[in-house]
Amino acid sequence: MSNFLETSLAELQTGLRNRDFSSRELTEFFLNRIDEKDGEIKAFLSLAPKKALKKAEEADKRFASGDENLPPLLGIPLAVKDVLAVEGLPATAGSKILEGFMPPYTSTAVSKLLDAGMIVLGKTNTDEFAMGSSTENSAYFTSRNPWDTSRVPGGSSGGSAASVASQMAPFALGTDTGGSVRQPAAFCGVTGLKPTYGRVSRYGLIAYGSSLDSVGVFGRSAADSAALFSVMAGKDPLDATSLDMPVPEINLNGSTNLKGMKIGVPKEYFVEGIQAAVEEKVREAIKQFESLGAEIIDVQLPHTQYAVPVYYLIAPAEASANLARFDGVRYGLRVENDDVIEMVKESRGAGFGEEVKRRIMLGTYALSSGYYDAYYGQAQKVRTLIQNDFLEVYKTVDMIAAPVAPTTAFKIGMHTDDPLAMYLEDVYTLPANLAGVPGLAFPVGFDQKNLPIGMQLMGRHFEEEKLFHAVHAYQNDTNWHTKSPKV
Ligand code: GLN
């Protein structure tokens, strides 16, 4: 087999095990594809071809050894967002302040996948410190949407989504603090999971908003992504907020009928500003869920309108604290100066980009004495109201169906002079992060410009499996997830 573009994970696993092809062939295939396509897409910040091929050869030896206890993802390539530490590979978080930084250890999410046999191809582009919705805030370059390279791939995990959509990697890891897995998945037409907060360890993730950050995964289908999620999830002694809720292998074979499942549709997610084609395709998909046996129920999430202001206080507040460690002493960039205070100031001044500085100022202001109660404290209270909206609705439905973003992928440059317009793109994704619930984004059609449209199912805490079950049933019945751009 020389073409792995349409191959599912199960087919890759069987093919490798039967030695129809080798991990070396598979890995070379994706590395060649990166060689051919990434000049245009610009999904990767750094590549590790030599290491990847060496790992592939090791995997092939294990396949040849006759060992019966091979790890489940042995020999399968993976791209990793550049906010996750992988020992021996650079980790910039899309920032100049971390240029040249080599983490001495590997993040737990990645190390679990490595233990399961996966092979890292390279690190993908991201908005600086994951702050953004388009990759335009990357200090290095803007990644392109494979469906239309004059448009953004979404963000902040835009490089990861673009790498999977353009089939330069079968899988990629991303992080979702306010939508950064789901929104680029929607913009690029791939399937992306944001797990329950705490379900996947954050150890080795360069922190943005610690009470919101979650490590997620992109794949070409729900079934494929589920396999990686079950490996990544679980308690990690190195992350005190990780939960002791391991995920047993998810078996989706029987997921064809959704009888008994109740799906809520919140009216607050279909309001002015939503692109007509997005609403139409999401509603069509909801009908499809109904025809698969699910019961569709109108629900209300009345505090949805506060998600943008609440998030844009809490996330910058946490970011301003998390970013204090970048002082020119411990990591990456230093602007030399004999005066240590000046050195710190100049290093931070030169190392951080505009959006990061904006958020540090927003966050520091919201946390400063005299304003703390009015901004940060108030935001925390409203966050609880948003959370309670979800808990209330989950008394009657199993999950919530909604669009991921109000529009399809926008043109590069469209929002760069207007941060507020960029923040408003996040209106449908932020609530799940504030509530800590899981969300699974997947493609449901195209607009008139042939740009992918995504929707999301948001579940109860710890009920990722149900989301996979529902989307797998949908994907069994439709073929949106099999469409690929002509890159
Ligand atoms: N777009 C949002 C922000 O800029 C979310 C980013 C994310 O999830 N990392 O904060």
Side-chain angles (χ1 to χ4, degrees), residues 81 130-133 156 175-180 208 311-312 359 426:
K81 184 180 183 181
M131 296 175 187
S133 314
S156 60
T175 58
D176 192 314
T177 303
S180 280
Y208 165 16
Y311 173 89
Y312 278 98
R359 300 215 187 173
D426 302 334

Side-chain angles (χ1 to χ4, degrees), residues 192-207:
L193 172 76
K194 172 230 171 299
T196 306
Y197 177 78
R199 197 112 208 229
V200 176
S201 167
R202 291 182 292 112
Y203 178 73
L205 162 64
I206 298 169

